[in-house]
Amino acid sequence: MTGPLFANRDEGARRDNGPSASELTEDSMVRHRGDRPGRGWRRAVYVGSAHLINPGPSPQERARQDWLRRVRRPLPGFHQIGVTSIKGGVGKTTVSACLGLVMAENRGDRVIVLDANPDAGTLADRLTGESSVTVRDLLNNLNNTRSLTDVAYFTSLVGRLQVLASEQDPAMSEAFSRDEYERVCQVLTRFYNVLITDSGTGLVHSAMEGTLALAHSLVIVGAPTVDGASRASKTLDWLRAHGHENRAARAIVVLSCDRSSSEIDRDRLLEHFAMRCRAVVQVPHDPHLATGGRINLHALQEPTQDTFLEIAAYLADDFDPTPPNMDRRAYGGYPTGPPAGHPGGPPMAPQGGPPMGRPPPAPATPPYGSPPPQGRPGPPLARPPIPPPPTPPPMPWPNRPSPPPPGPIRPTPG
């Protein structure tokens, strides 16, 4: 009896330490569609053989799947991206527009691009062609903007991407200051998860100061030319010289190859930026982007789409997975922070009241007829007491004669 008993115990222990139901997941049982080729000759072989021959996806397809997984990373709060350049004409607006399209296409939350160029930017022209309602109109109505519907009145839509145009009048756009930019961002980050700012050319204008102060990630746009590459490198120098070392180290350098030359040593150029920032990416020449017209994401060549997806993946690596607290997410909706006594705000300062922990004394009842204190209704006026009704005299019995009046008292005989 002893041997079989211990044997059963051993078998039970092995069953307890063996496979469990938690191992039967979709990842372990189902063959993913990503293992099947989707492009090129590999797909032709897979489809032509009636799915009998599967050469598998190419390394480029596997890299694209990884970029998509990173771009779709959850973002409980909001993330601001600044796209800047110290030199104009290198494709800063093009990079901002394509990044916004890629983010909005492959994410499920809300994405918006803001044209903060003080010199009549062309971001809205490259995306929607609608620039009649601008950020200046939103600034003039910030006090009345309380919902996503209110914000959407000032934006235009392309696909799933919202676009907020800049002021087209140069005389008015010069007034777009840092304070106004921060006020606009406080409203936008209440309703949008990803905010991409197309800043103006240069680094010393007022709106750029607000971009550097609020951006979580920076994209520095240059070109694989002598002037374009040197200006991008000087942008990194300026950031480090003005106390933005961490932003410069985490920045993404994008080289737009619309203008290129075989005389440029590309490997030396890429090695220089790889040592100074987090990543450097080259955007290939694309005929659709070279026209300077309205951008259609699906009209881009596949290498161009993959390049912007790679840039978006680098930016999504900086997404904070922790939920924001009340004072981080646009101060809980208050323009200057929650007031005293509200969640996330400072404690209420005592103003001559009782010590903390003790109940306040009961208010004294004002005398009858005195006016109530200002700002609150007084107690109801007390009415004078009503006297009780007089007691009526007793009524005589019915059909009974009245007793005779009393006479003189006579002595009792004997």
Side-chain angles (χ1 to χ4, degrees):
M1 294 297 295
T2 305
L5 178 61
F6 284 104
N8 292 337
R9 289 180 180 177
D10 294 340
E11 291 178 2
R14 283 194 298 268
R15 286 195 299 267
D16 293 340
N17 298 329
S20 62
S22 61
E23 298 181 3
L24 298 180
T25 62
E26 181 182 358
D27 295 335
S28 62
M29 298 179 60
V30 179
R31 185 176 183 180
H32 292 283
R33 296 179 180 178
D35 296 334
R36 305 167 187 174
R39 294 180 178 180
W41 65 268
R42 298 171 181 266
R43 174 177 172 78
V45 171
Y46 179 70
V47 174
S49 63
H51 302 173
L52 298 177
I53 302 177
N54 185 4
S58 64
Q60 181 65 22
E61 281 190 87
R62 294 186 182 275
R64 179 182 175 84
Q65 294 170 8
D66 178 68
W67 296 333
L68 281 173
R69 177 186 57 82
R70 291 157 59 187
V71 168
R72 293 166 180 170
R73 179 170 301 174
L75 179 60
F78 65 94
H79 193 87
Q80 294 185 232
I81 302 171
V83 183
T84 182
S85 173
I86 202 173
K87 174 179 172 55
V90 293
K92 175 177 56 62
T93 300
T94 301
V95 171
S96 302
C98 291
L99 277 179
L101 291 172
V102 169
M103 286 278 192
E105 181 80 12
N106 296 285
R107 292 186 58 83
D109 47 13
R110 302 187 185 105
V111 183
I112 187 172
V113 287
L114 166 63
D115 194 348
N117 195 330
D119 300 321
T122 60
L123 179 65
D125 295 335
R126 300 296 305 275
L127 287 173
T128 62
E130 175 61 39
S131 58
S132 58
V133 182
T134 65
V135 66
R136 176 60 52 186
D137 299 316
L138 176 60
L139 275 169
N140 296 333
N141 294 273
L142 279 183
N143 295 332
N144 300 324
T145 305
R146 300 182 178 89
S147 65
L148 179 62
T149 306
D150 296 337
V151 179
Y153 174 79
F154 304 97
T155 63
S156 53
L157 185 66
V158 49
R160 299 185 65 252
L161 178 65
Q162 298 280 344
V163 184
L164 183 55
S166 65
E167 179 60 52
Q168 299 301 302
D169 186 1
M172 293 294 299
S173 59
E174 289 293 338
F176 194 52
S177 62
R178 170 178 178 174
D179 177 68
E180 293 174 332
Y181 173 79
E182 293 178 350
R183 289 167 54 199
V184 170
C185 288
Q186 284 182 0
V187 173
L188 295 181
T189 51
R190 290 172 56 192
F191 306 106
Y192 297 92
N193 299 91
V194 180
L195 170 59
I196 302 174
T197 300
D198 179 18
S199 61
T201 303
L203 299 172
V204 295
H205 56 87
S206 182
M208 187 61 200
E209 296 177 2
T211 303
L212 293 177
L214 299 180
H216 301 93
S217 303
L218 280 182
V219 177
I220 301 174
V221 184
T225 59
V226 175
D227 56 347
S230 62
R231 292 302 179 268
S233 185
K234 287 183 182 296
T235 303
L236 295 174
D237 293 338
W238 187 93
L239 291 174
R240 288 187 168 89
H242 290 78
H244 300 286
E245 295 87 356
N246 186 34
R247 297 183 185 277
R250 298 291 301 173
I252 309 296
V253 173
V254 177
L255 301 178
S256 180
C257 298
D258 283 342
R259 292 188 304 128
S260 60
S261 173
S262 59
E263 299 180 2
I264 299 295
D265 189 353
R266 293 283 187 93
D267 296 335
R268 175 71 181 89
L269 190 62
L270 297 178
E271 180 183 358
H272 169 79
F273 285 110
M275 297 175 60
R276 305 200 61 191
C277 61
R278 179 156 59 106
V280 53
V281 183
Q282 300 182 84
V283 178
H285 174 78
D286 194 288
H288 179 66
L289 297 179
T291 60
R294 195 173 303 179
I295 299 175
N296 182 4
L297 183 62
H298 301 287
L300 300 178
Q301 297 179 349
E302 287 187 358
T304 307
Q305 296 184 29
D306 292 345
T307 300
F308 284 110
L309 187 62
E310 180 184 5
I311 300 172
Y314 280 120
L315 295 172
D317 291 340
D318 284 342
F319 287 175
D320 189 0
T322 58
N325 51 25
M326 180 68 74
D327 56 352
R328 178 186 167 199
R329 178 132 184 150
Y331 304 105
Y334 299 98
T336 58
H342 285 242
M348 185 73 72
Q351 299 180 357
M356 295 186 64
R358 299 183 183 178
T365 304
Y368 174 78
S370 60
Q374 184 176 4
R376 62 176 183 177
L381 297 179
R383 297 181 179 180
I386 301 176
T391 303
M395 298 295 294
W397 290 357
N399 303 326
R400 182 177 180 180
S402 300
I409 299 178
R410 299 178 180 181
T412 304

